[in-house]
Amino acid sequence: MLADPSPPAAAIDPEPPPLAPIPYVVRSVTTETPDTVTLTIRPSATRRIATPRPGQFNMLYAFGVGESAISVSRATPEGELVHTVRRVGKVTNALAALTPGDTVGVRGPYGRGWPIAEARGGDVVVIAGGLGLPPLRPAVYAILSQRESFGRVEVIYGARSPKDLVYYDEIQTWRRRTDVRFQTTVDAAGRDWYGDVGVVTTRLPDARFDPPKTTAFVCGPEIMMTLSAKALADRGVPRDRIWVSMERNMKCAIGLCGHCQFGPSFVCRDGPVLRFSALEPFLAVKEV
Amino acid sequence: MSAAPPPDLVGEIANHPLFAGLDPKLVRSAASTAQEREFAAGDLLAREGTTADTLLLILRGKVALEVGAADRPTLTVQTVGPGEVVGWSWFVPPFRWRFDARAVKPTRAIVLNGPALRETLSRHPAWGFAFLVRFLPLIAERLENTRIQLLDIHAR
Amino acid sequence: MVGSGTGGPRTLPREEFPAFFEALRAEGYAIVGPTVRDGAIVYDRLEGVDDLPIGWTDRQEAGRYRLERRSDRALFGYSVGPFTWKKFLFPPRERLFTITRDGPSFSVAPEATDPTRLALLGMRACELAGLEVTDRVFQGGAVADPGYSARRSRILRVAVQCGQAGGTCFCVSMGTGPGVRDGADLVLTEILEPGPHRFLFEARTRAGAGVLARLNAPAAAVADERTAGEIVARTASSMGRSLDTAGVRDLLRETLQHPRWDDVARRCLSCTNCTMVCPTCFCSTQEEVPDLTGATVERWRRWDSCFNLAFTELHGTAVRKSGLSRYRQWLTHKLGTWHDQFGTSGCIGCGRCITWCPVGIDLTAEIAALRVAPASTSKEAPR
């Protein structure tokens, strides 16, 4: 049999390039910590990205500077997006310097988010470290919006110091809720801090959950996630029900550029949220 | 022999995770020289450098373990709550506190007499061993947490 | 394999090979293929048969490549050179689109791709396998790469079966050659002897048959078909290297802490040569290139390598800082996790990474060494 060659494609591809950013306009900028800001943005024209699911991320583009992968911390059906950005490099510095009315490019949403439906019927433990809270925030809201579907809900948020806590006002409203237990801890604090002090895992003994029936969502720096996931596993939470959100260098976000590989996974496409059971052998090795 | 301790104090000690399940005679002995105390927010439970002669079992409230030097602000490195303990300097020569322990909110604790407990444990090595089996993991856990803090896990 | 529509294999005498070039052009193809330049056989535009590496061969060993004169006038008497066909589908540098300031906002202008249809003349069996690998990478996922797909739709794959194996070849181990099985439009076998210098042609697709139909080539003698089979069999039996692929994916997953990685890391220069010559390495990065006014920015994509320190930059530092971790990433990906990602090995056994490694690191030797259990595990730090 003869295979048919594919028909020649048109010289100009009519589809917008998959890596092309879509212009959004900055509505507001909130300073969270000395090096972190929260941007609220809206589509500036008719084109917009699909509504992200909790745990997904976007590529944010600063004109003439470049792109950075930033998790989505809020997304409204009207197309408004909230991203919290920490100044660490050229692109994030440019993003953090944006002011209301400025244009920012967006493409996305990318990746697999938190498997909230899989957690139904059992207890949920959410552990966030530092800037791990923004990608977990939409997951917490999704759980609270269908609260009766879950058992006990525990949220533990750890940061380096009190000034490194983000969404401080929102944390206070969460703490007042009776249908979720919210613990905050910092690694070290001055006398002006009346909350808990100790690494994030020290709060776990106080959390109430039934380990075999618990799903855990963990996000933060890699060491913090590894320690937290191990502590959860030690408590008896099944390793395949512990989910962590990995972070790696991303250029394309669609599994074509190779940068974000972690073992067999493309973090951009297969993650960022991945099962601890699949990650554990690689987390145990340096520089994978 | 000391006077019989108040029964509720014996019960509180026996229910505390550090002593739960240990020989009731050890609990009674520890209780015989113990007292229950309330601390207001801001009160010091221990002061760095002073003689350490107590082991505190926290029943309620929150205690901050603080370290500091003259040239820098005081830093809280850990908070301790109900079910946890403050102090092992009473067990380790030269028996001086290595940090400040300050109540950050109203706190109730059972204060055990360190020298008396030390003597009891040395006179009854089986009790001493059982006690250390409970006590050493607490120290190991503190050490582990200190190491994690050294990793500065939130620094990216 | 060959359908009735092709009319079966044909034989074309060497003297009439220029007619094949004409046939390709008549079918609308520009021709790219092997030619001698800078002391190597590279793939580039060909104007005529004389551009082919007539009478040249390559001698290859780990870290060594030399052109030598052959005793005959073979057109395809070499194995593979430092270039791969990948560059015609996935260029080393490519402008993806242009972004222009538009008031407070911006607009994006897509890039037109070159409409030229290319005949890739001289593809080896392993390189056809490499093409299938990059097809899976660039077209097999949820989002196909538009540039690759557009260029891919315009090529004609003209394979030439290998008449000799290079010193670093191991396509037999990888199951990719030297005989051409799938993936070609036309398959050629160069017959130097016995008898006159000639070529056996087989059309494998309608596009290939279209070219063949333009040639005044008689049906091949059964003896020529048999000779072609013997040539391939002789090449298969003279592979310069072999690689035991049994369970290699699991092996690489289980040996991430093997002391052999320290050993190879002491030799590896992180020069990126292996990734640049590999037919399947696909990693790329993107660059913003603004014009002088800052009003227009071009987005370029260019090849990147997992051996570059900046490749894994995260929060201002590299995840894979050591040369060990970067070599390990390359090899475990190529032969191991590639299976998880794309359902195939990333290695096609062409041997380029061995030949073009300046210190002669040989992945077949590295895999063999990883199969030997370490004498002592004392090097592994207690956890």
Side-chain angles (χ1 to χ4, degrees), chain C residues 25 55 66 86 130 165 224 272 293 309 325 328:
Chain C
R25 292 208 178 90
R66 292 288 181 277
K86 182 176 79 178
D224 280 358
T272 78
T293 67
L309 194 56
S325 66
R328 185 178 62 193

Side-chain angles (χ1 to χ4, degrees), chain A residues 86 129-132 158-160 187-191 194-203 220-221 223-224 227 247, chain B residues 44 62 64 66 74-82 84 100 102 104-105 141 144-145 148-149 151-156:
Chain A
R86 183 174 182 177
L131 268 196
R160 191 186 208 174
D187 285 359
R191 286 253 178 92
Y194 294 91
D196 287 317
V197 178
V199 292
V200 69
T201 46
T202 61
R203 290 295 98 212
I223 309 171
M224 168 267 165
L227 293 167
E247 192 175 19
Chain B
L44 273 181
K62 187 187 296 189
E66 300 176 342
T74 301
L75 199 65
T76 300
V77 292
Q78 176 153 24
T79 49
V80 175
E84 298 181 286
D100 286 352
R102 181 186 301 275
V104 288
K105 53 184 180 184
E141 193 188 322
E144 171 76 9
N145 288 335
I148 296 172
Q149 276 166 312
L151 281 174
D152 198 6
I153 60 173
H154 294 294
R156 301 227 182 185

Side-chain angles (χ1 to χ4, degrees), chain A residues 4 9-11 18-19 23 61 63-64 67 103 247 249 251 256-259 261 264 266 284-288, chain C residues 97 99 104-105 113 137 154 206 282-286 288 294 304 311 313 315 320-322 328 333 341 383:
Chain A
D4 277 317
L19 299 177
Y61 169 64
F63 185 86
E67 291 186 308
T103 292
E247 192 175 19
N249 186 345
K251 294 291 181 198
L256 292 179
C257 80
H259 280 77
Q261 290 179 75
F266 286 105
V285 180
K286 283 189 184 123
E287 299 186 272
V288 165
Chain C
F97 45 82
I99 313 171
S105 188
T113 45
V137 170
R154 294 178 202 132
R206 206 157 281 158
F282 61 87
C283 289
S284 65
T285 189
Q286 292 180 56
E288 291 274 296
D304 202 351
F311 189 80
E313 185 177 306
H315 308 300
R320 295 187 205 113
K321 291 184 185 66
S322 66
R328 185 178 62 193
H333 184 216
Q341 297 168 350
R383 294 194 65 84

Side-chain angles (χ1 to χ4, degrees), chain A residues 79-131:
Chain A
E80 191 168 275
L81 299 168
V82 176
H83 290 94
T84 296
V85 182
R86 183 174 182 177
R87 273 191 279 259
V88 276
K90 198 174 54 159
V91 176
T92 47
N93 266 289
L95 291 171
L98 293 170
T99 57
D102 286 348
T103 292
V104 61
V106 181
R107 58 184 179 94
Y110 296 121
R112 296 188 191 190
W114 305 105
I116 290 160
E118 272 190 41
R120 283 164 189 256
D123 297 342
V124 181
V125 176
V126 173
I127 306 182
L131 268 196

Side-chain angles (χ1 to χ4, degrees), chain B residues 78-99:
Chain B
Q78 176 153 24
T79 49
V80 175
E84 298 181 286
V85 305
V86 172
W88 60 72
S89 299
W90 60 274
F91 199 85
V92 187
F95 312 116
R96 294 196 183 282
W97 288 103
R98 301 307 171 103
F99 48 76

Side-chain angles (χ1 to χ4, degrees), chain B residues 7 15 25 33 50 58 65 70 75-76 86 91 101 112 114 133 149:
Chain B
N15 285 332
K25 291 200 282 267
T33 55
T50 62
I58 308 301
L65 308 186
L75 199 65
T76 300
V86 172
F91 199 85
L112 301 181
V133 165
Q149 276 166 312

